[in-house]
Amino acid sequence: MATKKVREQAHKVLKDSFGYDAFRPMQEEIICALMDGKDAFVLMPTGGGKSLCYQIPAMMRPGTGIVVSPLISLMKDQVDALNACGVKAAYYNSSLKAADAKEVLERFESGDLDMLYVAPERLLSKVFLAKLQKLELSMFAIDEAHCVSQWGHDFRPEYVRLGELREIFPDVPMLALTATADEHTREDISERLKLEKAQRFTASFDRPNIRYLVAEKRQPLTQILQFLESWQNCSGVIYCLSRKRVEDLAVNLQRHGIRAAAYHAGIPGRSREKVQDDFLRDRVKVIVATIAFGMGVDKPNVRFVIHHDIPKSIESYYQETGRAGRDGLESEALMLYGSGDVNLVRRLIENVENIDQRRVEVHKLNSMVGFSEALTCRRRVLLGYFGEALDEPCGNCDVCLDPPKTYDATELAVAALQCVREVKGHFGMGYIIDVLRGSNNARIKENKHDKIKSHGAGADINADEWTSILRQMVHHGYFMQDVSKRAAMLATKKAEFIGAGEPIILAKYQPGIRRQFKRLGMARDELLFKKLVALREELGEKEDVPPHVVFNDVTLTEMSQRKPDNDKAMRLISGVGEHKLEAYGDAFIALIKKHGDSKASKKAKDDSKDIPMLIAKGPGLNETQTYTLALYRKGLTLAENAAQQGVSETTVLKHYVTIIRAGQYLDVPAYIGKDFETVMNELTDADPYASLSEIKSDLSVDLNNEEFRLVLAWREAIGVA
Ligand code: ADP
Ligand code: ZN
């Protein structure tokens, strides 16, 4: 068992080198297992914080840690980031010039490196293995371990031989890490890497900071432009099914002034690298890509992922949306869902020769369709697919935030059925809708369908709404689309029940992206944040590293909130370790001070004195708020609650406010203590025309903003406000 001393040391490394105050779930246990010399298999979602799990023990244990990573570009990023924290790390791969490679090897052999990143084919070369056997190794870490499995989404043949390591180096602890949520792949990894006996660490695969949104695809370009409006100047990825769509969309976005670039396997390697690099360095904001744009994107501040077309499986959807929000800040995943795309993918699958594989793919696609059409919490469907249960609806997906309304559509269904029967099975959805809406186009006339009963029976309903109705009827099994006859609509056996008693309940058609809910603002000084971003870009440029290597968005957000103007305060910001404080502290402190003296900032401060009016009652609690409530119910104090989650007390207090507003009980009188009654009485007597900030400053009791809001929420909850 790792001793208390080992744990303390690990915390010290976490704070001094990386600038973080607390471990994320499981990190500490994993580090302890490695410190004990054990093998570990880590299953953690993207953004869960896998890297620290091997970086910290590699720094603490004697010898060098060998990190296997599949992509050369990723190695460089990781090593840049580590060096920026003052960690002795290097990489050894084919991108190095001979002289540099020699220098790296010399450092390695003289024991000067805590970590060496190596590509698998290099590692397993005879010469290199022989070298390794003579040196002291602290561990092997196999990052992106799913690359070893053919079942995974990113098989790499050069990974297969990594299984040999376990035999050649029986005494060196080995750690495999992956974000794959697919059980089949996981088993395969553990077998191939000979890690059956390794201790397994499985984290929840929920990504609470990603908001899942699905919208019916109508005019994709307009829909996407509308969506991008709320993510101006933010980075994101848009996935399309084909190269052609990628190129068209990229050009269209550029025409609308968006810094977008196309990325797919048909673009020459050199240009693709450039696109990737420009994205990483924030020169390009939006990447439009086929699935080929994948693992190379280790960018923490991707704020949104859009699926222009339906992905082929829930696994791909999860993987691709998972590229958003690695830094833990709010992000959105939007999918545009169109049945035409589903048919396109179905046709692609029909070309698969192996029958078993075809069956698997059809099943996977059907699950994806099910997810897209779900009228229940998306996160629940998503996690449920991977065998993880969610007790409560998530409160952070389109269905939870704006539940679809249902209505009795029996009359319309009867009309649709009649029309489908009358045209006798040779016509697709568009044609049926034209007939129902009473069109007199040439084709309808020619077929004499302007004479049938159902012609014009649904003229008062627009085409989009009809599409939604007919699609739902297909999904519910009343109609089917005959793929062999250009998706002609046919009535099924089930259709006989239409109009025969049970009402047909459908979801009400809602135009537009269902996103009329409030954006959860990050409450930071936006002006200062922008200045900090600019400074980071400048420093990154100077040192030739991606800007986020200097400081990531979480760190800059915290700086813009807390405005540290000396070393001591700066040290308290998450992500500011000793090395970065030394390197960048002065520049950022100077900027923050200068900003504090500026006119604009004074004005902003005056504005912020006004405590914002309470917003309407929220929809429910998100994951972190639920966790806060659970800890509160366990009896943790405010400070303990904050420490447990590695967040500030202010954040926890904010959660408390939300919790009360969501109608959950939290003992505010006990929390405020002996002054509670006084505050309540003074609030009742307060001048009804005074602003909240005036009321607050008139109180005889000193409350901070959050405490004050807590009391207000309480008054509202008990119905006196
Ligand atoms: P993964 O490899 O699992 O996708 P990373 O290791 O890249 O995740 O970590 C994601 C982000 O979270 C990084 O920006 C990292 O610095 C940050 N992070 C990791 N552990 C912690 C922690 N204990 N406290 C704060 N931030 C952390
Ligand atoms: Zn939900």
Side-chain angles (χ1 to χ4, degrees):
M1 273 303 288
T3 57
K4 191 160 165 251
K5 195 152 164 254
V6 168
R7 286 176 193 265
E8 278 170 9
Q9 267 176 355
H11 273 272
K12 192 164 157 37
V13 175
L14 180 71
K15 181 68 198 162
D16 291 351
S17 296
F18 298 98
Y20 300 138
D21 295 312
F23 281 111
R24 294 245 181 95
M26 296 205 165
Q27 285 179 329
E28 191 172 348
E29 284 66 38
I30 297 164
I31 291 168
C32 287
L34 282 159
M35 293 307 294
D36 284 343
K38 294 189 195 129
D39 288 348
F41 186 16
V42 174
L43 305 157
M44 210 186 251
T46 309
K50 286 187 284 301
S51 322
L52 288 186
C53 298
Y54 55 84
Q55 288 167 349
I56 291 183
M59 291 161 70
M60 289 170 67
R61 283 175 67 90
T64 306
I66 303 292
V67 184
V68 183
S69 169
L71 282 179
I72 288 174
S73 61
L74 285 193
M75 281 187 216
K76 182 168 181 334
D77 288 352
Q78 289 249 13
V79 168
D80 281 347
L82 284 168
N83 291 341
C85 294
V87 181
K88 286 187 263 175
Y91 60 89
Y92 181 63
N93 63 32
S94 55
S95 76
L96 285 180
K97 291 195 199 83
D100 294 334
K102 189 157 165 272
E103 193 203 313
V104 167
L105 285 185
E106 275 167 14
R107 284 182 71 192
F108 179 35
E109 281 166 43
S110 68
D112 183 41
L113 289 175
D114 278 332
M115 255 168 280
L116 181 66
Y117 284 70
V118 195
E121 60 276 19
R122 277 270 159 126
L123 171 65
L124 293 164
S125 73
K126 268 213 180 93
V127 187
F128 200 77
L129 281 178
K131 206 184 283 292
L132 284 184
Q133 273 159 320
K134 282 187 259 155
L135 295 168
E136 186 172 25
L137 302 179
S138 57
M139 60 145 88
F140 287 106
I142 317 281
D143 207 359
E144 313 286 357
H146 55 268
C147 291
V148 77
S149 169
Q150 271 169 326
W151 294 103
H153 43 80
D154 207 352
F155 175 61
R156 282 164 192 262
E158 45 315 344
Y159 256 61
V160 173
R161 279 186 55 212
L162 289 173
E164 295 170 22
L165 289 176
R166 194 55 308 176
E167 283 153 20
I168 312 177
F169 301 92
D171 299 324
V172 181
M174 187 158 141
L175 173 71
L177 310 102
T178 177
T180 190
D182 169 9
E183 191 52 40
H184 206 53
T185 311
R186 291 174 175 180
E187 290 313 318
D188 200 31
I189 298 170
S190 126
E191 202 174 301
R192 282 169 185 264
L193 292 179
K194 311 221 163 39
L195 284 173
E196 291 98 337
K197 296 208 189 80
Q199 196 173 346
R200 248 193 209 214
F201 296 90
T202 313
S204 163
F205 271 66
D206 187 17
R207 304 284 313 279
N209 61 315
I210 300 180
R211 172 179 289 169
Y212 298 106
L213 307 166
V214 179
E216 216 171 285
K217 185 175 188 174
R218 285 168 302 113
Q219 292 147 324
L221 179 62
T222 314
Q223 285 174 295
I224 288 173
L225 287 170
Q226 186 196 339
F227 179 84
L228 292 183
E229 252 165 47
S230 51
W231 287 112
Q232 280 175 24
N233 283 318
C234 294
S235 301
V237 184
I238 307 180
Y239 286 104
C240 301
L241 210 56
S242 69
R243 292 179 189 181
K244 171 133 191 5
R245 286 190 187 179
V246 163
E247 282 173 1
D248 291 350
L249 183 59
V251 168
N252 277 324
L253 291 178
Q254 286 159 4
R255 277 194 197 127
H256 282 86
I258 289 163
R259 278 192 278 160
Y263 186 104
H264 57 67
I267 294 173
R270 188 81 59 72
S271 318
R272 260 189 306 174
E273 260 167 43
K274 179 166 184 320
V275 170
Q276 205 158 302
D277 199 51
D278 284 348
F279 184 56
L280 214 54
R281 291 173 190 243
D282 292 333
R283 293 180 197 130
V284 158
K285 290 292 181 186
V286 180
I287 296 273
V288 189
T290 54
I291 45 168
F293 190 69
M295 290 178 44
V297 220
D298 198 350
K299 187 172 168 61
N301 58 340
V302 173
R303 291 273 72 86
F304 61 87
V305 168
I306 301 176
H307 281 95
H308 179 277
D309 311 309
I310 192 169
K312 285 182 192 160
S313 66
I314 292 193
E315 283 91 341
S316 318
Y317 174 77
Y318 178 82
Q319 202 69 33
E320 285 150 18
T321 53
R323 304 213 158 97
R326 291 179 77 117
D327 55 12
L329 297 178
E330 293 159 17
S331 313
E332 281 185 324
L334 167 69
M335 181 173 91
L336 298 180
Y337 174 66
S339 60
D341 297 333
V342 178
N343 291 333
L344 189 69
V345 179
R346 277 198 205 291
R347 277 207 293 283
L348 293 177
I349 294 176
E350 274 161 27
N351 294 333
V352 173
E353 276 176 20
N354 181 312
I355 297 186
D356 288 333
Q357 200 193 338
R358 194 159 65 213
R359 235 178 249 147
V360 171
E361 291 197 15
V362 167
H363 167 74
K364 288 192 168 182
L365 177 63
N366 288 344
S367 304
M368 189 62 220
V369 170
F371 169 84
S372 318
E373 285 169 4
L375 295 175
T376 55
C377 172
R378 306 259 183 223
R379 198 176 306 270
R380 220 179 215 172
V381 180
L382 195 60
L383 291 176
Y385 181 81
F386 297 119
E388 206 179 305
L390 196 63
D391 292 337
E392 298 282 327
C394 75
N396 196 25
C397 70
D398 56 345
V399 178
C400 283
L401 289 161
D402 186 12
K405 294 174 190 61
T406 54
Y407 70 115
D408 182 344
T410 311
E411 234 176 89
L412 298 171
V414 168
L417 175 64
Q418 187 179 26
C419 183
V420 167
R421 285 192 172 142
E422 281 178 318
V423 303
K424 299 199 181 76
H426 296 289
F427 301 91
M429 199 178 275
Y431 186 88
I432 306 273
I433 292 173
D434 283 345
V435 175
L436 281 166
R437 291 187 28 77
S439 158
N440 285 314
N441 68 34
R443 204 162 149 230
I444 289 180
K445 285 210 156 129
E446 195 177 302
N447 293 322
K448 302 209 167 55
H449 286 151
D450 53 341
K451 301 281 184 292
I452 59 180
K453 266 200 192 146
S454 57
H455 185 253
D460 50 345
I461 294 202
N462 73 32
D464 285 341
E465 194 166 350
W466 264 122
T467 310
S468 164
I469 293 168
L470 294 183
R471 272 187 200 166
Q472 291 187 61
M473 291 181 70
V474 172
H475 306 149
H476 288 302
Y478 297 113
F479 296 145
M480 55 176 276
Q481 287 172 290
D482 188 343
V483 186
S484 64
K485 282 201 235 152
R486 294 210 200 118
M489 298 273 286
L490 300 171
T492 63
K493 266 213 146 51
K494 194 175 170 189
E496 286 164 23
F497 296 100
I498 294 175
E502 288 279 299
I504 311 286
I505 304 295
L506 298 181
K508 188 93 192 117
Y509 168 71
Q510 301 197 15
I513 297 175
R514 300 225 316 260
R515 210 179 48 162
Q516 274 80 40
F517 34 86
K518 217 177 152 60
R519 167 137 289 137
L520 317 141
M522 286 194 259
R524 60 188 179 200
D525 182 335
E526 288 299 333
L527 186 65
L528 175 56
F529 183 76
K530 271 196 197 132
K531 291 183 188 173
L532 295 170
V533 167
L535 176 57
R536 147 176 98 175
E537 253 167 38
E538 193 184 302
L539 292 172
E541 199 75 37
K542 205 152 77 193
E543 301 184 7
D544 194 30
V545 293
H548 65 79
V549 165
V550 175
F551 284 129
N552 67 20
D553 282 17
V554 180
T555 304
L556 295 193
T557 297
E558 234 182 76
M559 281 188 198
S560 73
Q561 287 166 333
R562 296 210 232 156
K563 311 194 176 158
D565 56 4
N566 57 56
D567 279 7
K568 194 160 159 257
M570 196 49 117
R571 231 182 229 117
L572 294 176
I573 302 286
S574 169
V576 183
E578 290 306 315
H579 194 81
K580 286 193 181 175
L581 183 66
E582 179 98 352
Y584 312 119
D586 289 348
F588 281 85
I589 288 173
L591 176 63
I592 290 167
K593 275 192 179 153
K594 193 163 151 229
H595 173 79
D597 295 338
S598 71
K599 251 196 211 150
S601 137
K602 288 240 171 63
K603 184 176 173 312
K605 246 192 216 146
D606 289 345
D607 290 346
S608 70
K609 263 197 305 194
D610 280 318
I611 297 156
M613 296 299 283
L614 292 170
I615 44 163
K617 196 163 171 167
L621 302 179
N622 67 23
E623 177 89 5
T624 47
Q625 292 154 353
T626 309
Y627 189 42
T628 298
L629 179 58
L631 294 178
Y632 169 84
R633 287 189 177 147
K634 274 196 196 151
L636 269 66
T637 64
L638 176 68
E640 291 167 342
N641 204 323
Q644 175 74 22
Q645 305 188 60
V647 300
S648 66
E649 297 192 6
T650 316
T651 307
V652 174
L653 271 173
K654 282 190 183 140
H655 289 177
Y656 283 179
V657 173
T658 316
I659 288 167
I660 293 175
R661 303 184 51 90
Q664 301 278 350
Y665 181 76
L666 203 140
D667 199 348
V668 177
Y671 175 74
I672 301 290
K674 63 176 176 32
D675 292 324
F676 179 73
E677 280 308 315
T678 319
V679 174
M680 287 292 275
N681 289 335
E682 288 180 356
L683 283 176
T684 310
D685 295 333
D687 175 1
Y689 297 104
S691 73
L692 285 178
S693 51
E694 284 167 351
I695 296 178
K696 180 174 174 296
S697 60
D698 282 343
L699 291 177
S700 64
V701 181
D702 211 359
L703 297 180
N704 67 30
N705 281 354
E706 273 66 37
E707 290 166 339
F708 182 56
R709 281 202 226 172
L710 200 57
V711 176
L712 292 181
W714 171 264
R715 279 167 58 85
E716 204 191 23
I718 61 172
V720 299

